Amino acid sequence: MGFMDKLKEVGKTAAKGALTMAAKSYGTVIGDPYGLCKISMSGTSKIVIVKVTEIVKELTIANDIQTFYLVSENAIKMEHTIALVTREGEKILVLLNVDKNQGSGLSTAEARLAAHYEVAAFLVEALAKNVPEMSDETKLWVNKIMTLAGKSTLF
C-alpha cells in the first residue's frame, strides 16, 4: 500500500469516527460490559452502542432484543433507567437522554416538557413497536413517556 492509499484510509477512518461521534445519543449505558457507551439508533429498527468513535455493538430490535423494562425512575429529575434484554439473556442498562435544555424557549410548560422528552420517546417508541415481549407494566410506562413527549399513547 502506497503513501496515498494509507492517507486515504486514514481519512476514511477519521470521517467514520467523526460521524459516529456526531450521531444522536438516545441514552447512556450504565454498568458492564458497555458502561458509559452511548446508545444511538439507525432508523427505528436498530440500536447502536458507541464508545467514543467506535461502534461496539449493533442490535436489530425485532431480532436481537427480547424485551425491555423500567429499572428505576426519578420523575422529578427526569431520570429513567431501562433494561434491554437480548435474546441471549444479556441485560444492558440504559439511562435515557432527557434533554432539559431542549425547548427552553417554548412558551408553555407542556411544550417545553414535550421537547425535553422528544429523543427519549423516539427510542421508547421504537422499542415498544418492535420487541417481541413486553409486560403490561412496561406498556403503562411507555404510554407515560409518550404523553410526556406530547405524542399519542401506544397502548
Side-chain angles (χ1 to χ4, degrees):
M1 181 183 287
F3 175 75
M4 289 306 290
D5 291 330
K6 288 181 182 179
L7 192 58
K8 285 180 188 175
E9 192 61 35
V10 167
K12 286 180 187 176
T13 302
K16 182 179 177 186
L19 287 173
T20 304
M21 276 185 74
K24 184 178 281 193
S25 177
Y26 293 86
T28 303
V29 178
I30 52 178
D32 293 331
Y34 311 107
L36 300 180
C37 289
K38 78 177 180 180
I39 296 291
S40 189
M41 293 188 70
S42 178
T44 59
S45 63
K46 279 191 177 184
I47 290 177
V48 182
I49 300 174
V50 178
K51 184 173 189 173
V52 188
T53 61
E54 177 188 354
I55 295 174
V56 178
K57 187 168 191 156
E58 287 188 58
L59 299 164
T60 302
I61 297 171
N63 298 330
D64 299 325
I65 298 177
Q66 185 66 34
T67 191
F68 75 103
Y69 58 89
L70 179 69
V71 174
S72 68
E73 179 174 57
N74 184 331
I76 301 297
K77 290 185 177 182
M78 296 184 197
E79 293 176 354
H80 310 272
T81 302
I82 61 172
L84 307 176
V85 181
T86 67
R87 289 191 187 263
E88 290 78 37
E90 180 180 31
K91 186 164 69 170
I92 302 167
L93 297 178
V94 178
L95 176 63
L96 294 180
N97 277 3
V98 177
D99 188 347
K100 298 168 190 160
N101 296 318
Q102 184 70 25
S104 59
L106 296 172
S107 61
T108 67
E110 293 83 9
R112 287 189 296 276
L113 189 61
H116 297 339
Y117 275 91
E118 182 179 340
V119 170
F122 185 85
L123 173 62
V124 169
E125 182 175 8
L127 287 166
K129 287 183 174 179
N130 291 294
V131 295
E133 293 177 14
M134 194 177 354
S135 71
D136 289 338
E137 185 178 324
T138 299
K139 289 177 182 178
L140 290 172
W141 179 78
V142 166
N143 282 343
K144 176 181 176 180
I145 294 297
M146 298 307 289
T147 300
L148 289 169
K151 299 184 180 295
S152 299
T153 57
L154 302 177
F155 306 102

